[in-house]
Amino acid sequence: MKRWILGAVAAAALVAAPVQAFAETTIRVTLQLPEKHSLGQNWLAFKKIVEEKSGGDLQIQLFPSAQLFKDKEVPGAVGSGAVEAGSAFIGRFAGSVPTVDVVSIPFIFESEAHVRAAVAPGSAMRKELDASILKETNNKILWWQAFGLNIYLGKDAPIVEPSDLKGKKVRTYGKIQGWTVEALGGAPTLMSGSKQFLAYQQGAVDVGMTGASAVKSRKLYEVMDHMTLTYDTAIEFVAVMNKDFYEGLTDAQKKIIDDAAREVEQKLRDEIFAQQAAAVDEARSKMNVVELTDAQRAAWVKATAGIVDRFVKETGDKGAAAVKAVKAAAGN
């Protein structure tokens, strides 16, 4: 974590002053996506609720499209106090809390209901992961932000069979996603979401990996021709706040923040699959959209089955417990 904090402070020096230099009621938020994206809209909803309920005593200032920090820098920037709050892909915390990657294991979730149960506030998995992130990174999780399910993008040819990734350079956004690509014979290339468009346009990678909503918001249909709905893993972001800043708020302000967080978390969770379906439908007019058959999906499941064992081997008892918590949620 020390390395993250030092890096974040250095990066922030040109764009943001420390928390203490600002009024306690000013909450700057670093976002990776445009405000029009569902995650940006989620924060705007939070902003509206907080500012109204606080009578303007709490002001939310959004910095979208990685204006302040790239996604990999967010945990360190928020934890150090270089910025008060932000959103980051949950996998960005894996350096300090390796077990967060449990949600990225391919096909670990059986359905939308399973995802909902596993990531619900107060679930066994959430209690452990949220507490560990707070302890190790000084990031207080306000709420989890549903992003949708993973899809693949192809340029010259669609990705249909697992073997279609063999020998291809694939954009990834986390360690487990990299393991998935390796299991399928590809070469993973870890890359921030904001760099995707140019990477695809310039041919820096052959295949893309992202969420359907990002294809629309980042206009990736302009540089990629095929979208494959593998839906192999859930993509989860977290809305986080600097712990020290949060603790410096009054009890009344904390309640406003906590209540608003719970409200917007549920709203986004309820809407995300409908938004994903709409994004896919819109993409059909711009790209070739591939839906896997049951047999093709079974081939993907088989090809990536060893990743859960690799995860448990690397993370030990805590990883095994996290996997158990996710699987147990399937019965809820």
Side-chain angles (χ1 to χ4, degrees), residues 281-318:
D281 285 342
E282 185 172 336
R284 293 183 193 279
S285 64
K286 302 177 176 70
M287 311 174 74
N288 171 40
V289 175
V290 178
E291 298 186 50
L292 299 180
T293 65
D294 290 345
Q296 289 166 342
R297 180 170 296 280
W300 282 79
V301 172
K302 181 179 180 180
T304 58
I307 293 175
V308 66
D309 293 331
R310 182 176 178 181
F311 174 79
V312 171
K313 182 177 180 180
E314 181 165 302
T315 57
D317 291 342
K318 287 187 175 181

Side-chain angles (χ1 to χ4, degrees), residues 71-99:
D71 51 2
K72 66 182 180 180
E73 299 169 331
V74 173
V78 173
S80 69
V83 68
E84 289 79 27
S87 283
F89 168 57
I90 187 68
R92 293 294 175 242
F93 293 89
S96 296
V97 185
T99 50

Side-chain angles (χ1 to χ4, degrees), residues 131-303:
S132 294
I133 287 173
L134 179 64
K135 178 182 178 182
E136 297 297 333
T137 72
N138 209 41
N139 280 243
K140 175 180 174 56
I141 290 185
L142 300 179
W143 75 94
W144 281 45
Q145 293 182 297
F147 193 91
L149 302 174
N150 187 66
I151 56 95
Y152 284 81
L153 301 174
K155 195 162 192 175
D156 299 325
I159 304 300
V160 180
E161 303 292 342
S163 58
D164 290 337
L165 288 183
K166 189 173 183 179
K168 301 287 181 63
K169 291 180 64 177
V170 184
R171 180 261 168 168
T172 61
Y173 48 85
K175 181 163 66 173
I176 302 297
Q177 289 77 12
W179 289 1
T180 300
V181 170
E182 290 172 351
L184 300 175
T189 302
L190 188 64
M191 182 183 298
S192 296
S194 58
K195 294 184 177 181
Q196 283 185 89
F197 189 95
L198 284 178
Y200 301 151
Q201 184 181 56
Q202 297 173 357
V205 292
D206 306 305
V207 176
M209 177 190 283
T210 188
S213 61
V215 175
K216 176 182 177 181
S217 64
R218 297 190 187 280
K219 299 182 179 180
L220 302 181
Y221 51 80
E222 294 183 359
V223 289
M224 297 298 260
D225 303 318
H226 307 276
M227 176 196 293
T228 303
L229 309 181
T230 52
Y231 291 160
D232 50 318
T233 184
I235 306 174
E236 296 288 330
F237 276 61
V238 286
V240 292
M241 179 174 284
N242 176 270
K243 175 189 175 183
D244 304 313
F245 179 84
Y246 177 84
E247 294 298 336
L249 299 173
T250 67
D251 289 343
Q253 289 172 330
K254 289 177 185 176
K255 187 176 189 307
I256 290 171
I257 293 288
D258 294 343
D259 289 349
R262 183 63 65 91
E263 181 176 339
V264 299
E265 175 170 11
Q266 186 63 50
K267 186 174 187 294
L268 181 58
R269 185 70 58 186
D270 290 342
E271 294 176 347
I272 194 63
F273 283 92
Q275 292 176 356
Q276 177 177 271
V280 170
D281 285 342
E282 185 172 336
R284 293 183 193 279
S285 64
K286 302 177 176 70
M287 311 174 74
N288 171 40
V289 175
V290 178
E291 298 186 50
L292 299 180
T293 65
D294 290 345
Q296 289 166 342
R297 180 170 296 280
W300 282 79
V301 172
K302 181 179 180 180

